[in-house]
Amino acid sequence: MKYIDEFQDPELARRLLDEIHDTVTRPWALMEVCGGQTHSIIRHGIDQLLPEQVELIHGPGCPVCVTPLEVIDKALEIASRPGVIFCSFGDMLRVPGTDRDLFQVRGEGGDVRVVYSPLDALRIAQQHPDREVVFFGIGFETTAPPNAMTVHQARKLGIRNFSLLVSHVRVPPAIEAIMRSPSCRVQAFLAAGHVCTVMGLGEYPELAQRHRVPIVVTGFEPLDILEGVRRSVAQLERGEHTVDNAYPRAVRDEGNPAAQAVLEDVFEVTDRSWRGIGVIPDSGWRLSGRYRDYDAELRFRVDGIRTLEPAECRSGEVLQGLLKPHECEMFGTRCTPRTPLGATMVSSEGACAAYHLYRRLRTTPAPREASPVA
């Protein structure tokens, strides 16, 4: 509770906001990379408390949201097969594929189970040696190490009826792709603190220098985000572009070497398709040669599935920061958490879900005297 109390202090929030107001002299556009940060920003109204010159752009940092439609369809195909126990985290069950979701597969008789750890799925495989158990491994650098360790354990224990459907992505190549886009307006990044706890800061200085953008590593509480904004605006106003760790209570420069070692052992870097964005070179992982036997995509021969994104869903524009969720004509009408057109409306880190949950139907800056986060 100590950190929760300290990093939600309204008086400290007001001081940070006053300093940001006093520092900014021109318009700046900052992108928070992580969907968890997006939810904190919208929940606490941080974007509405900032000066009107400071715009927060929501980035593609929701792992469920960027999982490609064809991977969802592969999951649905595997989960529908007899003798398969398909395990996933809960927020994947409502993500729509081409014509159904995992909830519907379960309703049709498929054995789809919600688990809280990939190790839960491995235990299920031990308990049901006559069934094929598949875990849906999605996420950024944060969730990749436990998934990698689970595959490592399966191989070590000789558990052959377990496999992983992999859709892991990496943040630095996504930042590179965003900055190379002709429509990019981003002038600074609030980097995801939990990703950096694993991978450290090593890949960011080159990005900051090459694209001349400040990259400030932040946490997820209101004061974390405000401090990240303060440091970003200060750099922009000074004409600087360096990597700044504003989350030192969790992030070390070198990250977590043990987690990095298991990632290097189990995975290898590959090109990945991001939903609504397209293929980003070297932006993902796949199982390395030593562990390829545990690749569900190969085991169930679903690597040939190809799909087209529905034209009516504009989640790709939301993920690229080109569109705020409430600006989509489908938002809150045809697209709701019960009837989603895309993953951004149902993921616990999706921007559309945040806007819908906290009733953000428009963006209006709050008066400066408004009471900040409580």
Side-chain angles (χ1 to χ4, degrees), residues 70-81:
E70 66 183 53
V71 176
I72 302 297
D73 281 355
K74 290 172 184 177
L76 296 170
E77 169 63 24
I78 294 170
S80 301
R81 295 194 182 180

Side-chain angles (χ1 to χ4, degrees), residues 76-127:
L76 296 170
E77 169 63 24
I78 294 170
S80 301
R81 295 194 182 180
V84 170
I85 300 174
F86 193 89
C87 300
S88 171
F89 294 142
D91 54 359
M92 289 302 302
L93 269 65
R94 185 64 76 182
V95 177
T98 298
D99 55 12
R100 53 181 176 162
D101 57 32
L102 285 168
F103 266 128
Q104 289 172 278
V105 170
R106 187 160 71 175
E108 294 164 0
D111 194 344
V112 177
R113 305 188 188 185
V114 173
V115 295
Y116 298 94
S117 163
L119 290 172
D120 292 342
L122 190 61
R123 281 191 288 270
I124 292 171
Q126 289 176 299
Q127 295 163 1

Side-chain angles (χ1 to χ4, degrees), residues 125-174:
Q126 289 176 299
Q127 295 163 1
H128 299 276
D130 58 328
R131 306 276 298 279
E132 284 287 340
V133 177
V134 181
F135 180 73
F136 200 176
I138 69 159
F140 289 88
E141 294 93 332
T142 319
T143 55
N147 292 346
M149 180 54 70
T150 302
V151 175
H152 175 83
Q153 284 292 101
R155 186 172 183 267
K156 180 180 177 180
L157 297 172
I159 301 172
R160 304 298 303 169
N161 63 319
F162 173 82
S163 58
L164 188 71
L165 180 60
V166 183
S167 187
H168 279 300
V169 288
R170 303 171 58 240
V171 169

